[in-house]
Amino acid sequence: MTPVVLPIHSRSGGYRVAAGGSPVEALVRARGSGQVVVLVDAAVLRLHAEAFRQAFGPEVPILPVVASEQTKSYAAITPILESLLDAGVRRSTVLVAVGGGIIQDLAAFAATILLRGLTWRLVPTTLLAQCDSCIGAKSSINLGRHKNQLGTFHAPEEIHLSDGFLATLAEEDLRSGLGEVVKFHLLAGPDAFACIARRLREGIPADLSDLVVASLGIKRPYIEEDEFDRGIRNLLNYGHTFGHAFEVASDFSIPHGLAVALGMVAATRISAARGWCPEEHAREVEAVLAPLYRHHARTVAHASLEVMIAAMGRDKKNSADRQFVILTRGPGRMEKVQVDLMREIAPALGDFQAWLRRD
Ligand SMILES: NC(=O)c1ccc[n+]([C@@H]2O[C@H](COP(=O)([O-])OP(=O)(O)OC[C@H]3O[C@@H](n4cnc5c(N)ncnc54)[C@H](O)[C@@H]3O)[C@@H](O)[C@H]2O)c1
Ligand SMILES: [Zn+2]
């Protein structure tokens, strides 16, 4: 099958996403013809063992890694770098990463520092990684209890998608990816938002490939215009400042995309309370997102407000004395706004928690 190709312009020369075909076809495309080493999510290797057997001969080293926030850490990088060197990695070796956002972050970080920079290719296997994190070139890893505080910009050379990987994904991880899909469609404007609202009314769509390609198409101009996240790319963070606070306060028990979904509902409600958008828009956003995040609403409703506000104070968008969040004037009209965390956001988040507890 001929894949859909999406080129991404980047200061490092550009890279491309090829979407379509079976998991074996995506792995074969990522393998290419030179020397490769594969870093793979252990669960993906187990679930798709036959595809790996067909795509890689016995000469290709395959290193499985358990995907967890503990493995996505500075401490866990050392054994991964050692295994890569033990597997015979040289500067000409291409690192092929197969997995979700966790494997992507680890591989991108390792590829940046090993032998002063390796070429790497990515086969994202979660909806979140396919529709969002696979483009944009960021890596973030944890340093002890400081989440996502180390990182680099190092784009993969190629990204190969197959929706066949999504067939084995847990429903919770599908819903998490859909949180980001909705975010992109909200950013794209009223028509795109109405379209995703309609699609999700019947539950999780059986075929997600067009939503993945549409989401990447919406994200692309933001990262091309502002590759290093100093300006317009900040808007892709809609729902994330609140979402990150919910992740921290729940000790990361809420999957990223679902924390972002709750974060978008909070941000839209706060925007409506400021008179920036109609109450009706906040209700529409909630109606689309509640079926995705409903299992986690209680956790946020009872989370510590103090912990959430402290987490928001550490957001990467902030400067030493100024705090920012992304609010909305309606679909396609997001703005980065300076806020007073204690005076405005703390009471608004308290109201949001009371609203989540309402029934
Ligand atoms: N670098 C970036 O730009 C960026 C952006 C967003 C999120 N992230 C990071 O990504 C991580 C979340 O990523 P994620 O949601 O993709 O999850 P993940 O990598 O944690 O994977 C989620 C779960 O799905 C399993 N899995 C992966 N693919 C599977 C498949 N095809 N079938 C069955 N199970 C599969 C994994 O083993 C894991 O248990 C977080 O650490 C977040 O900080 C990074
Ligand atoms: Zn996100």
Side-chain angles (χ1 to χ4, degrees):
M1 168 177 181
T2 316
V4 176
V5 176
L6 193 76
I8 312 286
H9 297 292
S10 151
R11 282 198 218 169
S12 62
Y15 50 101
R16 63 195 196 107
V17 183
S22 65
V24 181
E25 288 170 290
L27 292 173
V28 167
R29 290 199 305 262
R31 190 212 179 298
S33 52
Q35 194 202 1
V36 298
V37 170
V38 181
L39 193 72
V40 55
D41 181 322
V44 174
L45 180 59
R46 195 176 62 245
L47 290 162
H48 297 271
E50 184 52 29
F52 279 83
R53 206 188 52 72
Q54 287 181 35
F56 303 107
E59 74 288 0
V60 175
I62 297 186
L63 311 176
V65 178
V66 173
S68 76
E69 288 295 327
Q70 285 75 40
T71 15
K72 203 188 91 161
S73 69
Y74 195 51
I77 276 284
T78 306
I80 289 173
L81 296 176
E82 278 176 338
S83 326
L84 288 168
L85 291 170
D86 291 345
V89 164
R90 300 164 193 213
R91 290 203 66 185
S92 56
T93 309
V94 174
L95 176 63
V96 175
V98 188
I102 289 189
I103 301 300
Q104 175 189 334
D105 275 340
L106 276 172
F109 194 81
T112 314
I113 59 175
L114 197 59
L115 306 178
R116 297 200 192 91
L118 292 179
T119 299
W120 71 292
R121 299 184 193 130
L122 175 61
V123 181
T125 62
T126 61
L127 179 57
L128 185 134
Q130 290 196 1
C131 77
D132 182 3
S133 64
C134 71
I135 61 170
K138 276 187 195 172
S139 73
S140 308
I141 66 168
N142 307 327
L143 179 68
R145 63 196 155 73
H146 303 281
K147 300 285 175 190
N148 288 338
Q149 294 301 302
L150 298 182
T152 59
F153 284 96
H154 182 37
E157 176 189 53
E158 293 167 8
I159 299 155
H160 295 280
L161 310 185
S162 162
D163 59 1
F165 284 111
L166 305 182
T168 54
L169 204 57
E171 193 188 310
E172 177 97 321
D173 289 310
L174 282 176
R175 283 196 264 112
S176 175
L178 284 171
E180 299 279 11
V181 168
V182 172
K183 179 197 76 180
F184 288 122
H185 286 73
L186 262 172
L187 275 162
D191 293 348
F193 177 55
C195 175
I196 190 71
R198 220 171 23 247
R199 283 285 292 279
L200 294 186
R201 221 167 278 147
E202 277 101 57
I204 298 177
D207 183 358
L208 292 157
S209 46
D210 63 319
L211 291 179
V212 166
V213 172
S215 298
L216 294 175
I218 296 167
K219 179 171 177 176
R220 176 168 62 172
Y222 289 88
I223 59 173
E224 287 185 337
E225 190 179 326
D226 177 24
E227 190 169 0
F228 301 110
D229 207 3
R230 304 278 172 212
I232 191 169
R233 187 171 173 175
N234 279 191
L235 299 184
L236 295 176
N237 244 244
Y238 191 55
H240 279 64
T241 310
F242 296 102
H244 178 63
F246 303 155
E247 286 182 284
V248 171
S250 71
D251 212 8
F252 289 81
S253 68
I254 307 179
H256 175 76
L258 296 179
V260 170
L262 277 149
M264 286 189 283
V265 175
T268 315
R269 286 181 61 80
I270 292 170
S271 304
R274 280 185 159 216
W276 274 33
C277 66
E279 297 280 344
E280 196 197 336
H281 176 55
R283 280 196 295 275
E284 282 167 0
V285 170
E286 188 225 338
V288 175
L289 293 172
L292 301 177
Y293 67 65
R294 64 178 183 275
H295 301 307
H296 300 284
R298 263 180 76 82
T299 310
V300 171
H302 298 281
S304 158
L305 188 56
E306 210 183 325
V307 170
M308 292 193 284
I309 292 296
M312 291 185 76
R314 292 191 297 271
D315 191 276
K316 291 195 196 84
K317 286 188 292 302
N318 297 338
S319 57
D321 55 352
R322 294 191 306 159
Q323 276 104 31
F324 297 92
V325 295
I326 313 293
L327 295 180
T328 186
R329 295 186 187 275
R333 299 176 62 203
M334 282 62 183
E335 289 178 25
K336 181 172 160 182
V337 194
Q338 190 180 345
V339 288
D340 186 318
L341 279 186
M342 289 321 288
R343 280 212 208 118
E344 180 182 6
I345 301 301
L349 263 186
D351 288 349
F352 179 63
Q353 289 185 293
W355 175 78
L356 287 174
R357 287 194 297 266
R358 71 200 180 284
D359 43 33

